[in-house]
Amino acid sequence: MNVFLLSLGVILLIGDVVTTQTTKPHIVFIIADDLGWNDIGFHNPEIKSPNIDKLATEGLILNSSYVQPLCSPSRSAIMTGYYPFKMGLQHLVILPYQPVCVPLNITLLPEALRDLGYATHMVGKWHLGFCSWNCTPTYRGFDSFFGYYNADEDYYTHTVDDYLDLRDNKTPARNLNGTYSTNYFASLATDIINRHNKSQPLFLYLPFQAVHEPIEVPKRYEDLYPNIQNEGRRKFSGMVSALDEAVGNVTSALKQNGMLDDTLIFFTADNGGWIPYYGNNYPLRGGKFTIYEGGTRTVAFINGKRLQNSGTVYEGLMHAIDWMPTIVAAAGGIPDNSRDGMNLWSDLNNGSLSGRKEFVYNLDSHFPPLEGHAALRMGDYKMVEGYPGEFPDWYKPQQLPEDSPIKQDKFEKKPYPWYQYQLFNIKDDPTEHNDLSTKLPDILAKMKARLNEYKKQMVPPNFPILPDPKSDPALYNNTWSPGWC
Ligand SMILES: *[C@@H]1O[C@H](CO)[C@@H](O)[C@H](O)[C@H]1NC(C)=O
Ligand SMILES: *[C@@H]1O[C@H](CO)[C@@H](O)[C@H](O)[C@H]1NC(C)=O
Ligand SMILES: *[C@@H]1O[C@H](CO)[C@@H](O)[C@H](O)[C@H]1NC(C)=O
Ligand SMILES: *[C@@H]1O[C@H](CO)[C@@H](O)[C@H](O)[C@H]1NC(C)=O
Ligand SMILES: *[C@@H]1O[C@H](CO)[C@@H](O)[C@H](O)[C@H]1NC(C)=O
Ligand SMILES: *[C@@H]1O[C@H](CO)[C@@H](O)[C@H](O)[C@H]1NC(C)=O
Ligand SMILES: *[C@@H]1O[C@H](CO)[C@@H](O)[C@H](O)[C@H]1NC(C)=O
C-alpha cells in the first residue's frame, strides 16, 4: 500500500483500488458595499485597485453577475439562495428599529459550510437583522463574528445615529473609536488566517464596510488621486484604494500561511454605486436603489488555483441567489436544490454558457407607502414594471450632485405608474437607452405573464413603518443590541 500526499488532495492506492479524495478548498468571500460598476480599476483605469484587478484578471471575471439594488435584499439572497421576495425582504433594507430578520427557519451559507466541516468566521457588515440573538451571526452558523449589525455607520466612531454598533462576538467593542474600519477589519481577517489550523477548511466571510457612505478615508489614500478635482469623488476613490490594500493584505496572509493555492476567493459588491455619494456605474444606467443595470449588474469575480478557465471572462448570467449553491458545490457539498438559486459551479469551470436563463431583479409592492419596483430577465430581454427608482439616468464620475443638475426629486416629478412597462435587449443595449416595449408587444406580453407567475409566490414585504420603541439603544447602554423581538 502506498500513500501519496499531493498538494490538491490525497490519493490513496489500496491494492488495485484508486480513490481520489480531494481536500476541501479554503473559501474567502469578500463583499464590497456599494461599489459601482465604474468604481474599480479593471473597469475604470482612473481607480487604483491593483490587488483586486490582479485577482480579477488572473481569475474568472463574472461579467453578467447580478444582485438586488440594495444591501439587505442582496445579502439575504447571497446567504440563503432564496429571492428576497420569498422572504419578505424585497422592500428597501432592514432598518435599525425594525423587528425583522432573515426568517429563522432558513439555514444560511455558513451553516451549510459548517456541516461540511468548515471553520466559519465573519468580519464586517451583517445587515440581516439583529432584534433577537437568534438572528445574529454566531447563532446562524458563524464560529466567530466581529462587526456591525446595521448600515451607514461612521468608519471611525462605529456609531449609527450616535449609538455604538460594533461587536466582538456578543460583546460591544467600545475601545476602537478612531480606528478606521477598513484597516481594522483587514487586520482581524489576517489574524484569523494566521491562527487558523490548516488541517480544517476555512470559510472567512469578509463583508467590508467600504465603500458605503459616509465618505471618510485616511488622507494617504485620498492623496493617491491628486488629479480628481471633485473632493467627494477623490475621497471615495481613496476608499476604494483602502479596500484594495485590505484585500491585498488578506491575500498576502493566505500566501504567507501556505494557504493561497488551496483557497477560492469569491468577490462581489452588494449593489451598484450610490450616485449622490460619489459611487459611479457609467456607462450603465442608474445606480443603487434603481432596478436598472447600474443598480444591479455588479463587479464580481472568482480567483483560485482550483478554478479552471482562470484568466477568462464569463459572460453567462448569474444572480445573487446562485452564490450559496455554487459555493456549497465548490466546497464539495450537495446544494439544496429546492431553493431558488442554481449551482453554477460546473458551468463556471467549463466556461459553458450559464444554466441560468432567467431571473427576477426584484419584485416589490407597488402601492404606497411601500411603493417599489419589479423587473424580470428572460434571456437577453429585461422588462421593468413601474417605478425604476431614484437617479435613473446616466452619470459620469465627475458629474456629481453639486456639479450637475442631478436632484433627488428630479425623477419623483415624473413617476412611472406601476402598470407602465419598459423593455430592453441587454445584450444589444446594455446601457438601456432603447425602450422596445411598444416595438415588441409579443415579448412584452410573454414577460408580463411570466412575472405574474412569480407574483403568486411573493410574500408581502415585512416592513413595519413605525419604529419599534423596544429597539431604542438607550435601553441597552447606548448600543444597538438584540433582545427585543
Ligand atoms: C463585459 O460586458 C460589457 C457590457 O456588456 C462589455 O462592454 C465588456 O466588453 C464585457 N467584457 C469585459 C471584460 O468587461
Ligand atoms: C418558513 O416559515 C414560513 C412561515 O411559517 C413559511 O411560509 C416558509 O415556507 C418556511 N420556509 C422554509 C424554507 O421552511
Ligand atoms: C470618539 O472620539 C471623539 C474624539 O475624541 C469624541 O468626540 C467622540 O465622542 C467619541 N465617540 C464615541 C462614540 O465614543
Ligand atoms: C496592510 O498592511 C500594511 C502592513 O502591515 C499596513 O501598514 C496597512 O495599514 C494595511 N492596510 C490595510 C488597508 O489594512
Ligand atoms: C490541527 O488540527 C489537527 C486535527 O484536529 C490536530 O491534530 C493538530 O494538532 C492541530 N494543530 C495545531 C497546531 O493545533
Ligand atoms: C462540465 O460540464 C459537464 C456537463 O454539465 C459536467 O458533467 C462536468 O462535470 C463539467 N466539468 C467541470 C470541470 O465542472
Ligand atoms: C455601559 O457602557 C459603559 C461605556 O460606555 C461601560 O463602561 C459599562 O461597563 C457598560 N455597562 C454595561 C452594563 O454593559
Side-chain angles (χ1 to χ4, degrees), residues 9-25:
V10 184
I11 294 184
L12 300 171
L13 299 173
I14 305 164
D16 291 338
V17 186
V18 178
T19 337
T20 303
Q21 186 198 349
T22 307
T23 56
K24 297 193 183 309

Side-chain angles (χ1 to χ4, degrees), residues 199-220:
S199 65
Q200 190 183 12
L202 169 68
F203 174 51
L204 175 56
Y205 178 52
L206 203 43
F208 279 99
Q209 181 172 358
V211 293
H212 197 291
E213 54 86 27
I215 302 302
E216 296 175 327
V217 73
K219 191 159 179 310
R220 68 180 173 102

Side-chain angles (χ1 to χ4, degrees), residues 220-240:
R220 68 180 173 102
Y221 300 107
E222 180 184 350
D223 285 348
L224 296 170
Y225 298 91
N227 296 330
I228 298 186
Q229 299 298 313
N230 181 289
E231 185 189 354
R233 180 68 182 171
R234 187 169 66 241
K235 291 198 158 115
F236 179 95
S237 303
M239 291 164 78
V240 180

Side-chain angles (χ1 to χ4, degrees), residues 126-440:
W126 181 239
H127 215 181
L128 297 176
F130 71 98
C131 57
S132 153
W133 284 112
N134 289 331
C135 297
T136 62
T138 54
Y139 291 74
R140 304 210 73 169
F142 284 106
D143 300 343
S144 80
F145 164 63
F146 193 107
Y148 59 108
Y149 296 142
N150 292 291
D152 298 314
E153 72 185 45
D154 189 281
Y155 281 77
Y156 293 101
T157 63
H158 316 292
T159 55
V160 176
D161 295 342
D162 294 331
Y163 294 116
L164 184 74
D165 183 6
L166 192 66
R167 300 239 165 199
D168 181 354
N169 290 314
K170 294 173 71 176
T171 311
R174 299 188 190 277
N175 55 350
L176 290 165
N177 188 4
T179 302
Y180 188 64
S181 79
T182 303
N183 299 70
Y184 194 66
F185 291 165
S187 73
L188 290 171
T190 304
D191 290 348
I192 288 169
I193 293 164
N194 290 339
R195 277 200 314 267
H196 183 68
N197 181 337
K198 292 179 227 30
S199 65
Q200 190 183 12
L202 169 68
F203 174 51
L204 175 56
Y205 178 52
L206 203 43
F208 279 99
Q209 181 172 358
V211 293
H212 197 291
E213 54 86 27
I215 302 302
E216 296 175 327
V217 73
K219 191 159 179 310
R220 68 180 173 102
Y221 300 107
E222 180 184 350
D223 285 348
L224 296 170
Y225 298 91
N227 296 330
I228 298 186
Q229 299 298 313
N230 181 289
E231 185 189 354
R233 180 68 182 171
R234 187 169 66 241
K235 291 198 158 115
F236 179 95
S237 303
M239 291 164 78
V240 180
S241 292
L243 169 69
D244 181 73
E245 194 181 280
V247 171
N249 286 4
V250 170
T251 312
S252 300
L254 290 166
K255 194 167 188 180
Q256 277 159 22
N257 285 281
M259 291 163 71
L260 189 60
D261 287 352
D262 285 330
T263 299
L264 287 167
I265 298 174
F266 296 87
F267 183 103
T268 184
D270 63 339
N271 46 249
W274 201 357
I275 301 300
Y277 292 100
Y278 311 100
N280 196 262
N281 311 296
Y282 195 81
L284 300 183
R285 183 172 188 178
K288 177 176 176 174
F289 278 97
T290 79
I291 203 75
Y292 287 129
E293 299 291 287
T296 56
R297 185 175 178 177
T298 197
V299 175
F301 64 83
I302 309 174
N303 180 289
K305 287 248 155 61
R306 294 185 177 207
L307 188 67
Q308 295 165 50
N309 302 317
S310 284
T312 67
V313 176
Y314 186 72
E315 297 287 355
L317 292 180
M318 180 160 178
H319 185 269
I321 54 174
D322 301 325
W323 285 98
M324 179 180 180
T326 299
I327 290 175
V328 167
I334 298 166
D336 170 3
N337 63 13
S338 69
R339 302 193 182 198
D340 299 320
M342 293 177 72
N343 164 16
L344 299 178
W345 186 240
S346 67
D347 290 346
L348 293 168
N349 275 288
N350 274 341
S352 61
L353 267 193
S354 172
R356 178 160 294 290
K357 308 288 180 213
E358 171 179 313
F359 65 86
V360 176
Y361 284 79
N362 196 21
L363 183 47
D364 197 355
S365 156
H366 281 310
F367 302 104
L370 301 184
E371 190 186 6
H373 47 205
L376 174 69
R377 179 71 168 263
M378 287 174 76
D380 296 337
Y381 288 100
K382 171 180 182 178
M383 182 185 74
V384 178
E385 182 185 78
Y387 174 69
E390 268 170 15
F391 296 106
D393 296 326
W394 300 264
Y395 312 98
K396 290 188 178 167
Q398 300 290 340
Q399 187 190 355
L400 294 162
E402 57 270 45
D403 308 337
S404 78
I406 299 173
K407 290 276 187 296
Q408 284 274 1
D409 60 357
K410 183 181 162 200
F411 198 65
E412 301 298 336
K413 289 180 185 143
K414 44 167 188 171
Y416 279 61
W418 73 265
Y419 47 81
Q420 184 161 338
Y421 293 87
Q422 299 173 76
L423 182 69
F424 301 100
N425 181 326
I426 298 298
K427 185 161 178 254
D428 296 345
D429 178 27
T431 56
E432 296 168 293
H433 278 87
N434 192 9
D435 180 0
L436 302 168
S437 57
T438 52
K439 288 187 194 130
L440 298 173

